[in-house]
Amino acid sequence: MNFSSPVRLGLAIASGIALPLSFPNYNLSLLAWVAVTFLILSALGARPRIAALCGFINGALFYPLAVPWIATVMKQYGSNISWLAAAGILGLMTLAGTAFPIVFALCVARLSKSSVSVACAIAPFLWVALEFARAHLPIIGFPWNLIGYAASGNLALVQICSLTGIYGLSAIIVAFNALLAWAIASPSSKNRLVAVGAVVVLIIIAAVGPHFVPQAKADQIAHLVQTNFAQEEIYPSNWMQLHAADMAQLESISIQAARQAPGVVIWPEVPAPFSLQDPRFAAIAGGIARNSSNDFLVGVVDWKLGPNRRWLASNSAVLLDPSGQRLFTYDKIHLVPFGEYVPLRKYLFFAHSLIDSIGDFTPGREYSVGQLPGGRFSVFICYEAIFPGEIRNFAGNGAQLLINISNDGWFGRSSAPAQHLMMARVRAVENRRWLLRDTNTGFTVDFDPYGRVVARLKPYIRGQLDAPYAFRSDRTLYVRFGNWFAWLCVLAALTLLVWGLKRHHSPS
């Protein structure tokens, strides 16, 4: 493409703005189907320096627009963190994130020197390979707002995830973008006809397809209790006394719901100083289980005696049986870096004022499966919901029901809770399991195995949701073989890249 540099930079800006607008709370999801087209067009035929700059612009706009809540959370809950420091943390994250669109734009630009068609053909494979890499970076892997999630609200399109995981949906979106870019960069009546045909097919699938998605039948009931506690950075020692009325209300809500319709009672990820090692909370938790005559699953800080007789804390979910006895414990495996632990703490001595207030949870090691009347379940906690390859381990270990407990109160009334919900929904489809999602402040939702919202509770209220569900034992292709499609994209991207470079350097 013989675009001038200003036009290329303008296309990169358009791409960097359009892509984040496709996610909550902007919710302009259709923009995802053209956002990458702008980036591809900006890179086709570009000099390496311009292509890299276009990729940088894309990333530099995407992160501050898509996840501005990161700075807000850091400022609100980080001791001694100024707005400047919080913005700096978001800036560092943005700087790291720009590496992926830079690599994407450079590869497209390089291959387009020999063939625009090859450059456009590699785009979906390369994009998925880079998303996959972004998800698996040591310590800082952050697969938040992958492009496929922009289409996850369509009940027909999202079903591909049961085969490929979220990466298949990303590939479809970027392939569509690449097709548009190819039709624009290589204009001919035939190319335009192909592009128009793809648009028509996509519209038909998106509009008609949802009517053919099966209806899932439920034969069980769970009670998802939304505790709705205000988020606090530090809890006073007399917190339980100060909130005695709140705890009594929640106890009443839980017991009455289970008595009216017998079923497991679920509380969210620990929203307050809840620990079964605290006799006051242990009495309340045991009372809920006994007085409701039902199982009670609750998020707690669980203390265990570790090596050298040191007490270690874990972010855990514990199931009590109707007699109040502990039946099951899951310790959160994937902890939030710089939130639930500080990686490489001893090397960050220069930032002690930022990290001293961050405690260290001990990560769990087992993808545990527990037993409820009628079937087996697993629970994952908060941030773990964004890692598809990890959640499939629960279904692979025999879980017939998935439960996600979370405390999204940390995010305030930002776009983060809606984005978190959007990603959790896809885990139901990938694993073909009912997903019960219980949160402190919202969004508390019941998803069927196809991603339908069966029931939901209004956010920012205290109450409980009657959540129908059923146990399922079938195993999807994604559960069986994991990220096979993402690895295939890595292989295809490398193969096309090598082939294209060899073709570029071969004698005429």
Side-chain angles (χ1 to χ4, degrees):
M1 297 293 291
N2 294 319
F3 292 135
S4 65
S5 294
V7 171
R8 293 183 185 280
L9 299 181
L11 287 167
I13 291 171
S15 176
I17 293 174
L19 189 52
L21 293 183
S22 64
F23 298 107
N25 280 340
Y26 310 110
N27 297 317
L28 302 175
S29 57
L30 290 179
L31 289 178
W33 297 89
V34 296
V36 181
T37 301
F38 299 143
L39 181 59
I40 294 172
L41 289 174
S42 74
L44 289 176
R47 299 191 305 275
R49 185 177 301 177
I50 296 297
L53 181 57
C54 289
F56 174 82
I57 290 172
N58 174 277
L61 289 170
F62 175 79
Y63 287 96
L65 288 173
V67 291
W69 48 264
I70 288 178
T72 304
V73 169
M74 289 288 181
K75 174 63 181 73
Q76 186 169 355
Y77 300 111
S79 298
N80 306 316
I81 295 182
S82 66
W83 272 114
L84 184 62
I89 292 170
L90 177 57
L92 288 174
M93 176 185 168
T94 298
L95 187 63
T98 59
F100 299 101
I102 287 173
V103 170
F104 179 81
L106 281 172
C107 290
V108 169
R110 185 64 182 270
L111 288 177
S112 67
K113 299 292 185 180
S114 58
S115 171
V116 168
S117 297
V118 172
C120 291
I122 198 178
F125 302 112
L126 180 60
W127 188 278
V128 170
L130 291 169
E131 283 193 340
F132 190 52
R134 184 175 133 201
H136 291 84
L137 287 175
I139 300 174
I140 59 171
F142 190 60
W144 194 279
N145 285 357
L146 303 182
I147 196 171
Y149 289 116
S152 63
N154 184 274
L155 199 60
L157 295 175
V158 75
Q159 301 311 315
I160 189 70
C161 296
S162 67
L163 304 176
T164 64
I166 185 61
Y167 300 108
L169 200 47
S170 289
I172 289 173
I173 293 177
V174 180
F176 184 84
N177 277 271
L179 181 63
L180 294 183
W182 172 71
I184 294 170
S186 303
S188 71
S189 57
K190 180 181 177 180
N191 292 359
R192 289 169 182 164
L193 186 61
V194 170
V196 169
V199 171
V200 171
V201 169
L202 182 65
I203 291 174
I204 292 174
I205 293 174
V208 179
H211 298 288
F212 293 92
V213 176
Q215 295 283 344
K217 295 182 179 180
D219 55 14
Q220 307 278 343
I221 195 78
H223 304 286
L224 312 184
V225 178
Q226 191 166 277
T227 49
N228 199 42
F229 282 114
Q231 193 61 52
E232 300 177 37
E233 185 183 352
I234 299 175
Y235 298 100
S237 58
N238 63 341
W239 189 96
M240 293 295 288
Q241 291 92 330
L242 293 174
H243 292 271
D246 293 315
M247 297 303 293
Q249 182 186 25
L250 287 167
E251 189 174 4
S252 175
I253 289 171
S254 303
I255 293 170
Q256 288 181 17
R259 284 178 174 175
Q260 291 174 4
V264 60
V265 176
I266 302 174
W267 281 22
E269 178 190 20
V270 57
F274 295 168
S275 172
L276 292 175
Q277 284 74 41
D278 178 351
R280 297 165 299 181
F281 181 73
I284 293 172
I288 290 173
R290 288 189 296 271
N291 293 323
S292 69
S293 301
N294 280 275
D295 294 307
F296 178 39
L297 180 71
V298 59
V300 296
V301 175
D302 203 34
W303 293 90
K304 302 176 181 69
L305 198 59
N308 303 320
R309 301 196 62 79
R310 292 176 57 240
W311 285 98
L312 303 176
S314 58
N315 185 352
S316 304
V318 172
L319 180 71
L320 304 181
D321 70 11
S323 68
Q325 298 300 307
R326 184 188 291 220
L327 278 183
F328 164 88
T329 302
Y330 169 70
D331 299 328
K332 186 177 182 182
I333 295 172
H334 201 131
L335 301 176
V336 181
F338 303 103
E340 293 173 317
Y341 81 109
V342 179
L344 309 175
R345 183 186 285 269
K346 66 180 180 179
Y347 299 108
L348 299 177
F349 57 88
F350 56 88
H352 65 87
S353 63
L354 297 179
I355 66 174
D356 281 353
S357 62
I358 302 174
D360 277 335
F361 279 117
T362 300
R365 296 184 178 180
E366 184 179 355
Y367 293 95
S368 307
V369 178
Q371 185 71 43
L372 286 171
R376 308 180 75 196
F377 79 98
S378 285
V379 57
F380 52 98
I381 300 176
C382 192
Y383 173 75
E384 292 181 310
I386 74 172
F387 295 95
E390 297 178 16
I391 303 309
R392 63 168 284 271
N393 289 327
F394 293 111
N397 286 350
Q400 299 167 296
L401 167 72
L402 295 177
I403 301 172
N404 176 211
I405 61 173
S406 186
N407 178 14
D408 287 1
W410 289 104
F411 298 134
R413 298 197 176 215
S414 69
S415 59
Q419 292 174 0
H420 205 185
L421 177 71
M422 169 188 69
M423 292 179 280
R425 175 188 188 180
V426 178
R427 305 293 86 84
V429 180
E430 289 168 339
N431 297 280
R432 200 61 88 209
R433 295 290 184 267
W434 286 83
L435 174 59
L436 310 179
R437 187 170 192 270
D438 187 33
T439 67
N440 173 32
T441 56
F443 295 92
T444 296
V445 176
D446 175 15
F447 291 113
D448 82 357
Y450 300 97
R452 284 189 187 85
V453 175
V454 175
R456 67 187 303 158
L457 194 62
K458 290 182 179 180
Y460 313 115
I461 65 167
R462 178 168 294 159
Q464 75 87 28
L465 177 69
D466 288 337
Y469 71 93
F471 295 102
R472 291 182 61 136
S473 57
D474 50 324
R475 289 156 58 91
T476 65
L477 191 68
Y478 183 69
V479 170
R480 291 176 182 274
F481 300 108
N483 291 315
W484 66 271
F485 179 78
W487 282 114
L488 186 64
C489 287
V490 172
L491 179 61
L494 290 174
T495 300
L496 284 171
L497 187 60
V498 170
W499 178 79
L501 292 177
K502 283 185 177 181
R503 181 180 176 185
H504 177 65
H505 291 293
S506 62
S508 301

